[in-house]
Amino acid sequence: MSLVVEGLSKQYSKQVQALNHISFRVNEGECIGIVGESGSGKSTLGRILLGLETYKEGSITYYGKTIAPRKRSDLRQFRKSVQMVFQDSTSTLNPKLPIWKSLLEPLDNFKEITPSFLKVEGLTRKEIAQELLEIVGLDKEMVDRYPGELSGGQKQRVSIARAISIEPSLLVCDEPTASLDVTVQVQILRLLKELQQKTNMTILFISHDIRAVSFLCDKVMVLKDGSIVDQFELSEIYDEGRHPYTKALIQAAKIE
Ligand SMILES: Nc1ncnc2c1ncn2[C@@H]1O[C@H](COP(=O)(O)OP(=O)(O)OP(=O)(O)O)[C@@H](O)[C@H]1O
Ligand SMILES: [Mg+2]
């Protein structure tokens, strides 16, 4: 079991209970989708898992080690194995830096890591960045460009390349395709799927779009008002016993 979350709650204020006794488990190499409407607590969960947000109640363990609610000293070690892709790549890619510099940041931070899918020996830093771009299906020439000179989909590919560069065992994606048009969304989902098969990383995929989740994920968790109302294997998505809210999400996705 790679990730175990037990009774996790998060209260921002008296009025806002963002997460309410959340429990779930994720196996190594599994892709779990977290789906729910706006404000249901998806990003809060992602941020807590990454140590970007504190929590008071519940426990999170990753390969048996506790992700402490407040202590940040373990964070660097944790970051080595857990990476994140956000909806908006502008928060990841510094507009003032050429792509190759942003791309190499994680590898520069963790010099001891050599990803198994990358042959880095004898390569210059820029060439390593080029290799990474090729892995996510981008032209090598883009290394010298700036984020402002890339399309949304291209920037998202760069963000993915950056996140997987240190071969994380867990990748948390928070609405990575939400700002993209449908064809590009599908391409990015395919890319994630392909990378997952290549590296066997565990993916936690956050989305309000149950179609995207069902394309990529083996398991689905449905969040509503901070609670998990349904949790199932993808093969069970059309089962009669699905929660009415899950059924409503499926129905809404069909009509859209
Ligand atoms: N930093 C914060 N301070 C106070 N309340 C917050 C904070 N961040 C989120 N919230 C509240 O917590 C609840 C859950 O927010 P969260 O961002 O986790 O939802 P979400 O499911 O990711 O929504 P979306 O689909 O719109 O991204 C919301 O009611 C939100 O207003
Ligand atoms: Mg969110």
Side-chain angles (χ1 to χ4, degrees):
M1 198 61 66
S2 65
L3 178 69
V4 180
V5 175
E6 303 266 15
L8 177 68
S9 293
K10 171 74 187 179
Q11 191 159 16
Y12 283 112
S13 65
K14 263 197 185 124
Q15 294 82 20
V16 185
Q17 176 87 32
L19 293 175
N20 202 354
H21 290 95
I22 300 271
S23 300
F24 63 96
R25 290 159 176 261
V26 188
N27 293 310
E28 185 172 280
E30 216 168 40
C31 180
I32 184 157
I34 297 168
V35 69
E37 65 197 4
S38 184
S40 56
K42 307 182 295 296
S43 296
T44 300
L45 176 60
R47 290 173 55 79
I48 289 177
L49 289 175
L50 280 148
L52 298 170
E53 191 75 72
T54 60
Y55 65 95
K56 281 197 187 132
E57 217 181 302
S59 72
I60 306 173
T61 54
Y62 189 63
Y63 287 102
K65 281 186 107 180
T66 301
I67 302 176
R70 285 179 183 279
K71 213 172 93 195
R72 290 193 164 231
S73 54
D74 290 343
L75 214 55
R76 187 175 186 275
Q77 200 56 27
F78 183 60
R79 269 303 148 70
K80 229 162 109 169
S81 40
V82 181
Q83 287 285 308
M84 182 142 188
V85 179
F86 294 96
Q87 169 176 353
D88 184 6
S89 49
T90 44
S91 56
T92 322
L93 306 177
N94 184 337
K96 297 201 180 96
L97 292 181
I99 294 301
W100 71 274
K101 285 196 175 161
S102 287
L103 254 182
L104 292 181
E105 247 164 27
L107 277 173
D108 285 344
N109 281 337
F110 299 105
K111 291 207 163 53
E112 64 277 25
I113 297 179
T114 336
S116 62
F117 55 82
L118 209 61
K119 301 268 172 294
V120 295
E121 275 160 48
L123 297 187
T124 63
R125 293 178 68 243
K126 212 182 231 187
E127 284 166 346
I128 294 172
Q130 289 179 333
E131 292 288 314
L132 280 169
L133 283 187
E134 290 212 314
I135 287 172
V136 294
L138 288 177
D139 199 306
K140 278 183 179 187
E141 312 302 316
M142 284 187 186
V143 281
D144 289 316
R145 290 211 210 158
Y146 288 82
E149 300 167 337
L150 264 58
S151 74
Q154 288 166 341
K155 273 189 280 196
Q156 219 41 340
R157 281 177 193 261
V158 173
S159 301
I160 292 169
R162 187 179 185 276
I164 61 145
S165 66
I166 53 170
E167 207 166 11
S169 54
L170 176 66
L171 182 69
V172 178
C173 302
D174 190 354
E175 305 265 13
T177 61
S179 59
L180 308 171
D181 69 50
V182 178
T183 39
V184 184
Q185 273 185 30
V186 173
Q187 288 168 7
I188 299 282
L189 291 174
R190 287 220 174 96
L191 171 68
L192 283 170
K193 210 168 198 171
E194 183 196 315
L195 290 171
Q196 190 196 18
Q197 280 155 2
K198 213 180 266 179
T199 63
N200 197 38
M201 61 186 167
T202 305
I203 297 185
L204 212 112
F205 183 81
I206 295 170
S207 178
H208 64 273
D209 181 358
I210 199 160
R211 282 170 305 185
V213 165
S214 55
F215 180 83
L216 187 70
C217 303
D218 316 300
K219 271 189 191 165
V220 185
M221 220 165 75
V222 182
L223 266 186
K224 187 174 190 305
D225 301 329
S227 298
I228 298 177
V229 295
D230 206 357
Q231 211 173 151
F232 51 92
E233 302 275 330
L234 185 63
S235 58
E236 303 162 342
I237 190 166
Y238 295 116
D239 282 9
E240 249 325 285
R242 287 281 64 80
H243 190 278
Y245 183 65
T246 312
K247 288 183 181 171
L249 286 178
I250 296 168
Q251 200 55 37
K254 273 185 198 155
I255 293 162
E256 240 177 55

